[in-house]
Amino acid sequence: MLRILKWNPLAAAGIVILAFIVMLLLYPVESIHASIRGILIWWDVLFPSLFPFLVIAELMLGFGVVHFFGALLDPLMRPLFRVPGIGGFVMTMGFASGYPMAARLTSQLWDQKLINREEGERLVAFSTTSDPIFLIGAVSVGFFHDPGIALILAVAHYGTAVLVGLLMRFHGKGTMSAPAQEKVRGKLIARSFRAMHEARLKDGRPFGLMLRQAVQSSIQLVFVIGGLVVFASTVLEMLSISNILHQCHAAAEALLKLVGFPAELAYSLVDGAFEVTLGAKAAGGASIPMVYKAAAGAFILSWAGLSVHAQIISLLHRTDLRYGPFIIARLTHSALSAIAVLLLWQALAPSAEPDLSVWAAWTDQYRPEGIIRFWSVPGSAFSVLALTAAGCLLAVFCQICLKIKQSFGK
């Protein structure tokens, strides 16, 4: 009897799964509706935003472009983040295409023995972010109905991600970083192109085969991500029916009142703990001052939701990378981004009420046709130009830092 009563994690997981199956049988209509909501999120948001980037990333690996960035950015990434220069490519793709692209690329670099465990954990920890299209289009315009809020959300989200990267450099301090590639005579650009050429020759696949394998692996990954999103949506609905979610809301409300924040944020934070899209939508619909809604949105985007966490775990399961450093980094990133919004609000907040007539194409339901209309209006063209200019400025800044480091090294 004592053995039966003794705590067993596997037995507890089995009981939870059994209870979940019973809930599905008792509430089939609600579970189907929740699954459909998850499918819509996957089809409307994740599939079109992730699939092209996944294919492009696979092709870049085959053509050696990743090795080019690795040789080019090694003098910058290694002293700042204690990762090889190839991590600069992962960070760029992670920031541009959103979660879980960084985990996908990191697992591939680990397979090719280009990074060790500690470097991979650092890399996934700070390069797992939301993509700009989701941050601007879905969150700022679709959920918050204010395109002007995108600037402060982007600065808080991506700026604190870089800060998390600087903090994560102290992770695994006792483990030596992978040695840098042997320097070859010649300028940095020439060495980078040489590394790309050698990587392409080593791969050896013809373009047709490379493209077919890239599409196959990307399709497989996208469907895995979709399944996890649908499962998370169904679990959230079952928790709501069983009143467990209500208890979580009550506990979150009490905690928010204790620290002096509006209790209305409890629904968005609890929903965002499970799924980032549902949490961001709840934050945008709260009847509270915009500064608190923006802080909650930044927190949710940086935490990314347990649905994204499950995607990260599924991508890293075949590696020796641990989940502990990742969840610590997510908690740190979410707290720092929310604090950044509160600190920067006076300087970066929109000064006037937004003209929502330009954004009439956007509703609370995020749809693909809304994406087309969004990119066709003038305001979005300005956003694209602003993001392009910011990328150029970042590249110039990196080159300046590289020149300064080289001058000190002489």
Side-chain angles (χ1 to χ4, degrees):
M1 186 67 181
L2 292 177
R3 290 184 177 181
I4 298 176
L5 296 176
K6 187 178 180 181
W7 170 255
N8 189 331
L10 294 178
I15 294 174
V16 171
I17 294 173
L18 181 61
F20 180 70
I21 294 174
V22 172
M23 291 290 293
L24 292 178
L25 295 176
L26 292 176
Y27 302 96
V29 176
E30 291 81 356
S31 63
I32 291 175
H33 289 168
S35 299
I36 292 174
R37 285 198 300 270
I39 291 174
L40 289 176
I41 293 172
W42 170 70
W43 181 255
D44 293 350
V45 181
L46 297 178
F47 198 119
S49 62
L50 275 180
F51 180 72
F53 282 99
L54 291 172
V55 176
I56 291 172
E58 292 281 351
L59 293 177
M60 284 184 171
L61 282 168
F63 279 109
V65 178
V66 176
H67 298 77
F68 171 84
F69 280 99
L72 183 66
L73 298 176
D74 192 76
L76 181 66
M77 297 296 294
R78 195 172 293 274
L80 287 180
F81 304 109
R82 288 188 67 210
V83 297
I86 208 167
F89 174 78
V90 177
M91 182 179 71
T92 303
M93 292 296 293
F95 283 16
S97 59
Y99 18 69
M101 174 60 73
R104 168 72 167 178
L105 294 175
T106 301
S107 64
Q108 291 177 324
L109 297 182
W110 185 89
D111 288 338
Q112 299 178 13
K113 301 187 184 304
L114 297 175
I115 55 174
N116 59 31
R117 184 174 72 173
E118 283 71 23
E119 289 169 342
E121 290 171 350
R122 297 185 201 113
L123 198 52
V124 174
F126 77 92
S127 56
T128 300
T129 63
S130 171
D131 63 276
I133 294 178
F134 180 73
L135 187 148
I136 297 172
V139 177
S140 302
V141 179
F143 299 151
F144 285 77
H145 304 290
D146 188 352
I149 210 71
L151 177 61
I152 190 169
L153 283 179
V155 171
H157 185 61
Y158 297 111
T160 53
V162 175
L163 181 58
V164 169
L166 296 175
L167 294 175
M168 285 298 295
R169 74 182 310 277
F170 300 103
H171 166 64
K173 196 171 182 179
T175 303
M176 295 296 293
S177 177
Q181 295 179 353
E182 183 180 354
K183 292 188 177 181
V184 185
R185 290 185 180 181
K187 294 183 178 180
L188 182 63
I189 298 295
R191 296 202 305 268
S192 302
F193 276 108
R194 189 178 296 111
M196 181 177 69
H197 178 66
E198 293 174 354
R200 178 69 187 107
L201 293 178
K202 185 178 180 180
D203 185 275
R205 291 176 296 170
F207 175 73
L209 177 61
M210 190 188 306
L211 179 61
R212 180 172 63 84
Q213 292 179 348
V215 172
Q216 286 178 342
S217 61
S218 300
I219 286 287
Q220 183 180 5
L221 176 59
V222 166
F223 272 88
V224 170
I225 293 172
L228 290 171
V229 171
V230 172
F231 179 73
S233 177
T234 308
V235 168
L236 196 61
E237 181 66 21
M238 295 300 103
L239 291 176
S240 177
I241 293 174
S242 61
N243 207 33
I244 296 176
L245 201 61
H246 176 72
Q247 301 299 326
C248 294
H249 289 155
E253 286 180 357
L255 182 61
L256 288 170
K257 290 179 181 179
L258 184 64
V259 297
F261 284 91
E264 290 81 356
L265 289 176
Y267 290 90
S268 62
L269 294 179
V270 172
D271 291 351
F274 291 93
E275 216 289 314
V276 60
T277 308
L278 299 176
K281 185 176 180 179
S287 300
I288 55 176
M290 181 62 79
V291 58
Y292 295 113
K293 294 163 65 173
F299 184 96
I300 293 166
L301 285 171
S302 301
W303 168 249
L306 293 178
S307 174
V308 172
H309 288 227
Q311 298 169 29
I312 302 297
I313 293 173
S314 68
L315 290 170
L316 301 179
H317 77 280
R318 68 175 186 272
T319 70
D320 63 351
L321 274 64
R322 296 164 293 187
Y323 177 64
F326 176 79
I327 193 171
I328 292 174
R330 291 299 94 223
L331 290 170
T332 305
H333 187 196
S334 56
L336 289 177
S337 60
I339 293 172
V341 168
L342 298 176
L343 294 178
L344 299 173
W345 184 257
Q346 294 296 330
L348 299 179
S351 57
E353 290 295 324
D355 181 13
L356 295 180
S357 61
V358 180
W359 311 97
W362 281 90
T363 62
D364 286 344
Q365 297 295 327
Y366 189 49
R367 293 289 183 266
E369 57 269 20
I371 300 176
I372 299 173
R373 288 193 286 267
F374 167 66
W375 290 112
S376 64
V377 297
S380 60
F382 174 78
S383 300
V384 174
L385 293 175
L387 289 172
T388 305
C392 294
L393 290 175
L394 179 61
V396 172
F397 174 76
C398 291
Q399 290 297 327
I400 292 174
C401 293
L402 182 60
K403 293 294 183 183
I404 293 174
K405 185 180 183 300
Q406 289 176 344
S407 63
F408 277 106
K410 294 180 179 179

